[in-house]
Amino acid sequence: MKTSVIGFPRIGKDRELKFASEKYFKGEITKNELLEVAKTLRKEHWNVQKENAIDHIASNDFSFYDNVLDTAVLFNVIPAKYKELGFEELDTYFAMARGYQKDDKNVKALAMKKWFNTNYHYIVPEIEDDTEVKLVGTKPFDEYKEALSLGVETKTVVIGPFTFLKLARFKGSKTINDFKDAFTAAYTDFLKAAKNAGVKVVEVDEPFLVKDLSAEDIALFKEIYTALLANKNGLKVFLQTYFGDVRDIYDTLTNLDFDAIGLDFIEGKETMNLIKKFGFPKDKTLLAGLVNGKNIWRNDYEKTLKKIGELKTVIGNDAEIVLSTSCSLLHVPYTLESETDLSDDYKKHFSFAIEKLSELKEIAALSDSKAASNEEAFKANRELFSGRVNSYNASVHKRTDAITDADYTRLPVFEERENIQKEKLNLPKFPTTTIGSFPQTADVRKNRNDFKKGLISEAEYEAFNKEKIKECIKLQEELGLDVLVHGEFERNDMVEYFGENLDGYLFTKKAWVQSYGTRCVKPPVIWGDISRKAPITVKWSSYAASLSQKPVKGMLTGPVTILNWSFPREDVSFKESTLQIALAIRDEVLDLEAAGIKIIQIDEAALREKLPLRKSDWYTEYLDWAIPAFRLVHSGVKADTQIHTHMCYSEFTDIIPAIDAMDADVITFEASRSDLLILDALKENNFKTEVGPGVYDIHSPRVPSVDEIVTALTKMREKIVDSKLWVNPDCGLKTRGDKEVRESLKNLVEAAHIIREK
Ligand code: GLN
Ligand code: ZN
């Protein structure tokens, strides 16, 4: 059995590409030095795949920033404003990715969006009415030749025309229909150029096929590929899909002239059924995505071999089956070898990109073996699934098993609580507040780092934070804010902080995953059952509350966000892990309440992140347990304790009833950048929760004027009843500087006063 890898992480074992790029941006290294780093990385990555005897190794999976942006540049989809900069190729590319502000030049970056259901973000291509779509680049062919010169025959990978068109933004009056022929022609030229460069296999990635497709989508795909595949000229063309199954278009795909079709058996719930129902064409190769390209756990060989067996039975011996990753390995960290602090008891259960290569090799060999179950590799793998150290906690299971419907329901109902809270908290109309964090200045980070490194004592660390909290409360009182916060000086990150204080979590040294461009994240790992070791935030919140007559909000991260920004387990469901986290955070909520905290905010910044790609799955697969999990966190509080939540986006127009069903008392969210369309939707849905649609954008250092905020609030009042409207920035202030925060909040409070007087 042969093996295939869809793509490999490019950032490097020690994030070399990130650091080199950042140095290049700052002018600290030359372009040639940057190109050299990239070349070295590509070589290393091809070699390690070759050493592991991978049969189908990708080229052109490398990128300086993003593969969608690479594709845009390859086909001349470069908006005029970037061309006008007059830069050479790589700098134009970086200007599109990051914007360019210097001297008299000032262009913004292209927008960035989440890449399907991953935490990777792609650059959104912009197609203007006069964009002349044509093949202008040579990157894919150069990299093919580069690999070949190193003795590695690769397949050339490119984002396919259908996915590209579906993800692009059309800036003028033209649409997909006006551009489909131009793209078909440009990709045809791409195939020709590939052939001329000596390429033998082109792999087109079409992940958009796993989404809900309309009849027009299917017709479009068919039209483009019928034309394209008539021009193969002896080249082999592989179609690669991932992140789900292709149920809406399976029978169309199998009837097109692809040489191989890549299907995802990990996230594609229906993949096996589709093959059973419609069969698989004899003249094609099946690239079977059976090794998870997203999670970090070892593959269960027994299960995988069983699936391969099933496939062989259904397909017979007519079509070739190639063992593949389920998606690009871009979404997993580089290698376990860097995790020198983790004992082997833990490490042996994990598999990062490098380790997945050996899994592919082992599974392929086992599937060729006459008696796989007698092989050492199989037995060793079986061992891993007999249990894991320190992962089972009986008392946690006892608690989750005992959850009843009543635990998901907060009483009294919202309307009654709202009145009780208004009376008790006695806040002015249009109450002002912030989202939680205050500037994480250099001294704040130093204090935390020094404590972590053992350079200062716990007492010193705490004394510093208390001083910061004191200043923060004083500032908020001076500014005249109504609901105060402690400032979050003890937190590095809203998930890692809670992870560190919960049992069941593991941390890695270098398990970085690219999030976008040069930015990487290092999610903590949910290893076992989750429980709270001891109160986490209570001392900080109580201290802050003791300093003011005004209410100080407690500040927590919600269970869905904690799960979504961690590497999840594979041996229990997301739901189960989320409920465990929810119970731990519930304990914290109740402890805060007992300590006299009257308002508690539970952030769900990443709630939307794991929304399934298909609408039909939104509720059944996700919201039906995620929303109750949030309610479980706060259902135990008294009527007069006010629960806030916060989300970093306003893209929940399509799930407004679900957001309302979180049953928080107040929700703050980002609305300042999104022309306030969300407000109409809230009104139409009779949204009951009180709302604080951010009145200014904290992502820029700009100080909003009083007028601007008054205008925003006036617009909001047209859609939201006065009694439900809060006044706040659109997210936490931790990335901002002290001066702009003071000025911005001063204007915010003044604007609220003006509105009150009206
Ligand atoms: N309370 C957090 C903060 O203010 C919320 C962060 C977020 O929404 N991403 O920083
Ligand atoms: Zn936010």
Side-chain angles (χ1 to χ4, degrees):
M1 176 174 257
K2 288 189 173 171
T3 52
S4 173
V5 170
I6 298 176
F8 201 75
R10 58 237 180 182
I11 210 87
K13 181 169 161 219
D14 295 308
R15 290 178 293 160
E16 293 90 334
L17 186 62
K18 167 196 172 74
F19 297 119
S21 304
E22 286 171 351
K23 279 191 186 144
Y24 176 67
F25 299 153
K26 285 191 226 145
E28 291 169 12
I29 61 169
T30 64
K31 183 169 303 166
N32 275 337
E33 287 171 304
L34 175 61
L35 296 179
E36 249 345 278
V37 171
K39 201 169 162 187
T40 309
L41 287 172
R42 286 194 296 265
K43 179 175 170 186
E44 201 178 308
H45 300 163
W46 284 320
N47 277 340
V48 66
Q49 294 179 78
K50 197 181 159 193
E51 283 157 21
N52 280 282
I54 302 300
D55 298 289
H56 298 285
I57 300 174
S59 59
N60 197 38
D61 55 342
F62 173 83
S63 179
F64 275 109
Y65 208 91
D66 165 49
N67 292 123
V68 179
L69 181 61
D70 295 341
T71 314
V73 170
L74 178 67
F75 291 114
N76 198 35
V77 181
I78 305 172
K81 61 182 175 207
Y82 301 107
K83 290 198 164 171
E84 282 156 14
L85 291 170
F87 293 165
E88 64 71 72
E89 210 181 308
L90 186 64
D91 292 327
T92 309
Y93 173 90
F94 281 135
M96 293 167 81
R98 313 173 57 240
Y100 188 88
Q101 287 90 24
K102 211 173 165 187
D103 310 324
D104 56 336
K105 298 188 164 99
N106 186 358
V107 285
K108 276 201 197 146
L110 288 170
M112 206 161 54
K113 259 192 158 167
K114 255 172 66 71
W115 178 241
F116 297 87
N117 53 1
T118 70
N119 195 15
Y120 177 77
H121 300 73
Y122 68 96
I123 300 285
V124 185
E126 284 185 2
I127 303 182
E128 299 170 322
D129 280 352
D130 58 358
T131 298
E132 200 190 327
V133 179
K134 59 181 180 191
L135 178 70
V136 290
T138 56
K139 175 181 180 290
F141 322 123
D142 298 343
E143 287 178 19
Y144 169 76
K145 289 178 197 160
E146 187 182 311
L148 197 63
S149 74
L150 297 166
V152 186
E153 177 72 48
T154 56
K155 57 180 174 182
T156 297
V157 190
V158 69
I159 308 276
F162 176 72
T163 295
F164 187 88
L165 280 166
K166 296 298 284 184
L167 298 182
R169 201 172 270 173
F170 291 86
K171 297 299 280 185
S173 55
K174 291 188 182 170
T175 62
I176 288 189
N177 272 329
D178 302 299
F179 278 99
K180 64 179 187 207
D181 292 343
F183 272 95
T184 309
Y187 274 83
T188 305
D189 287 342
F190 173 86
L191 294 186
K192 282 186 197 151
K195 172 90 188 161
N196 287 338
V199 172
K200 300 192 174 55
V201 177
V202 166
E203 174 192 295
V204 280
D205 284 10
E206 291 284 13
F208 205 89
L209 294 178
V210 309
K211 306 246 300 175
D212 291 316
L213 301 178
S214 66
E216 293 85 69
D217 291 333
I218 295 170
L220 174 70
F221 186 89
K222 206 169 156 182
E223 186 186 337
I224 294 175
Y225 276 96
T226 305
L228 204 55
L229 296 172
N231 286 292
K232 287 198 295 187
N233 293 317
L235 200 67
K236 287 205 181 330
V237 178
F238 290 7
L239 170 71
Q240 185 64 59
T241 66
Y242 36 83
F243 304 143
D245 60 65
V246 294
R247 67 186 81 157
D248 292 340
I249 198 169
Y250 181 80
D251 53 340
T252 305
L253 299 184
T254 47
N255 282 311
L256 288 165
D257 195 16
F258 292 110
D259 297 279
I261 298 182
L263 302 174
D264 178 352
F265 288 80
I266 301 288
E267 289 187 276
K269 282 180 298 177
E270 287 297 318
T271 303
M272 188 63 91
N273 289 339
L274 288 166
I275 293 176
K276 285 184 180 161
K277 186 162 167 210
F278 295 100
F280 191 84
K282 291 187 179 20
D283 58 337
K284 298 192 197 324
T285 297
L286 171 64
L287 305 162
L290 285 157
V291 172
N292 197 332
K294 268 189 182 170
N295 209 343
I296 53 168
W297 299 89
R298 288 296 306 270
N299 186 284
D300 183 336
Y301 289 1
E302 187 175 52
K303 274 193 192 154
T304 304
L305 290 170
K306 216 170 128 203
K307 280 199 186 138
I308 296 173
E310 233 178 303
L311 281 173
K312 283 184 179 160
T313 319
V314 187
I315 299 178
N317 289 322
D318 304 328
E320 187 193 6
I321 301 172
V322 170
L323 181 67
S324 169
T325 55
S326 66
C327 61
S328 168
L329 296 176
L330 176 66
H331 309 294
V332 289
Y334 192 84
T335 179
L336 269 173
E337 264 166 45
S338 307
E339 300 310 323
T340 45
D341 290 353
L342 269 188
S343 90
D344 201 48
D345 284 344
Y346 295 96
K347 242 180 359 194
K348 67 183 181 194
H349 293 278
F350 296 127
S351 173
F352 296 174
I354 298 270
E355 292 75 30
K356 285 187 192 266
L357 301 176
S358 47
E359 288 193 319
L360 284 165
K361 191 167 72 174
E362 277 189 0
I363 299 168
L366 286 170
S367 99
D368 291 337
S369 157
K370 291 260 159 0
S373 54
N374 291 332
E375 306 273 351
E376 276 318 307
F378 183 88
K379 287 191 217 157
N381 182 268
R382 238 2 11 247
E383 273 290 287
L384 298 174
F385 294 90
S386 59
R388 291 191 277 116
V389 295
N390 300 331
S391 77
Y392 186 80
N393 182 334
S395 63
V396 171
H397 286 272
K398 216 169 138 195
R399 272 189 89 183
T400 48
D401 289 348
I403 299 172
T404 66
D405 280 350
D407 296 320
Y408 292 119
T409 316
R410 184 171 171 202
L411 288 173
V413 295
F414 177 88
E415 290 72 15
E416 242 175 87
R417 282 172 355 229
E418 195 179 24
N419 289 328
I420 297 172
Q421 288 165 17
K422 285 228 181 311
E423 204 163 291
K424 185 91 178 213
L425 290 167
N426 196 21
L427 295 169
K429 259 192 180 171
F430 312 108
T432 54
T433 190
T434 62
I435 308 304
S437 57
F438 266 68
Q440 291 256 334
T441 42
D443 55 336
V444 173
R445 284 192 304 252
K446 183 173 185 311
N447 181 53
R448 255 196 337 257
N449 287 336
D450 284 354
F451 176 51
K452 273 203 172 154
K453 286 190 205 138
L455 299 175
I456 55 171
S457 69
E458 184 159 2
E460 286 171 296
Y461 166 73
E462 295 205 346
F464 176 92
N465 276 349
K466 284 190 168 172
E467 202 44 48
K468 275 282 164 187
I469 291 175
K470 206 186 251 174
E471 283 168 25
C472 186
I473 295 286
K474 186 162 162 258
L475 171 66
Q476 295 172 81
E477 289 202 321
E478 277 167 20
L479 290 165
L481 286 154
D482 302 308
V483 174
L484 316 189
V485 296
H486 77 285
E488 301 183 23
F489 305 109
E490 75 287 4
R491 300 182 197 180
N492 35 359
D493 168 289
M494 64 189 289
V495 168
E496 198 175 42
Y497 176 72
F498 285 92
E500 281 168 359
N501 287 286
L502 293 171
D503 265 333
Y505 261 97
L506 273 192
F507 297 88
T508 60
K509 263 167 81 173
K510 290 193 177 175
W512 297 98
V513 178
Q514 193 174 9
S515 171
Y516 65 85
T518 57
R519 208 183 129 73
C520 299
V521 293
K522 188 159 67 66
V525 181
I526 304 182
W527 168 261
D529 296 330
I530 304 281
S531 61
R532 193 183 64 147
K533 293 185 234 186
I536 303 169
T537 64
V538 178
K539 69 174 170 219
W540 304 119
S541 287
S542 323
Y543 175 70
S546 74
L547 300 172
S548 179
Q549 297 302 325
K550 290 189 171 175
V552 178
K553 274 195 277 193
M555 198 55 63
L556 306 173
T557 302
V560 187
T561 295
I562 294 182
L563 180 96
N564 285 353
W565 283 346
S566 306
F567 280 119
R569 289 167 72 171
E570 273 188 346
D571 60 331
V572 302
S573 65
F574 289 177
K575 174 181 171 180
E576 178 80 22
S577 277
T578 309
L579 290 179
Q580 294 179 358
I581 301 167
L583 288 173
I585 303 295
R586 178 186 167 98
D587 293 345
E588 187 73 12
V589 166
L590 294 174
D591 282 349
L592 282 170
E593 184 183 59
I597 305 296
K598 289 271 142 246
I599 304 183
I600 301 166
Q601 179 172 311
I602 306 158
D603 291 329
E604 282 291 13
L607 185 115
R608 209 179 191 288
E609 207 130 296
K610 290 255 160 79
L611 204 59
L613 293 174
R614 289 177 190 276
K615 266 196 173 170
S616 47
D617 294 339
W618 279 4
Y619 280 85
T620 50
E621 301 270 308
Y622 184 66
L623 295 171
D624 283 351
W625 57 262
I627 302 297
F630 182 86
R631 288 202 303 264
L632 180 61
V633 175
H634 70 88
S635 64
V637 299
K638 300 193 192 90
D640 58 4
T641 298
Q642 191 171 62
I643 297 295
H644 289 213
T645 187
H646 165 71
M647 289 178 189
C648 290
Y649 43 79
S650 53
E651 286 147 26
F652 52 76
T653 321
D654 37 13
I655 52 167
I656 284 176
I659 304 293
D660 225 10
M662 290 165 79
D663 205 23
D665 299 304
V666 181
I667 177 169
T668 56
F669 56 91
E670 172 267 306
S672 56
R673 283 181 295 176
S674 59
D675 58 27
L676 304 176
L677 273 180
I678 178 86
L679 303 183
D680 290 312
L682 294 178
K683 189 172 172 164
E684 276 158 31
N685 284 276
N686 285 319
F687 199 65
K688 70 173 199 299
T689 315
E690 295 185 11
V691 290
V695 293
Y696 78 89
D697 177 8
I698 62 94
H699 301 88
S700 117
R702 221 182 126 256
V703 174
S705 69
V706 176
D707 272 359
E708 208 176 308
I709 302 176
V710 169
T711 309
L713 285 168
T714 310
K715 270 200 205 143
M716 289 171 190
R717 288 183 64 201
E718 288 166 17
K719 310 283 175 182
I720 294 165
V721 294
D722 288 352
S723 61
K724 286 191 190 285
L725 185 57
W726 286 66
V727 183
N728 47 266
D730 69 352
C731 194
L733 303 165
K734 69 171 166 224
T735 56
R736 297 273 62 92
D738 281 330
K739 182 162 174 284
E740 71 226 37
V741 160
R742 178 185 287 269
E743 289 167 8
S744 301
L745 293 179
K746 182 169 169 278
N747 291 352
L748 178 144
V749 171
E750 196 175 325
H753 281 286
I754 293 175
I755 296 284
R756 276 174 207 161
E757 274 144 33
K758 274 188 186 167

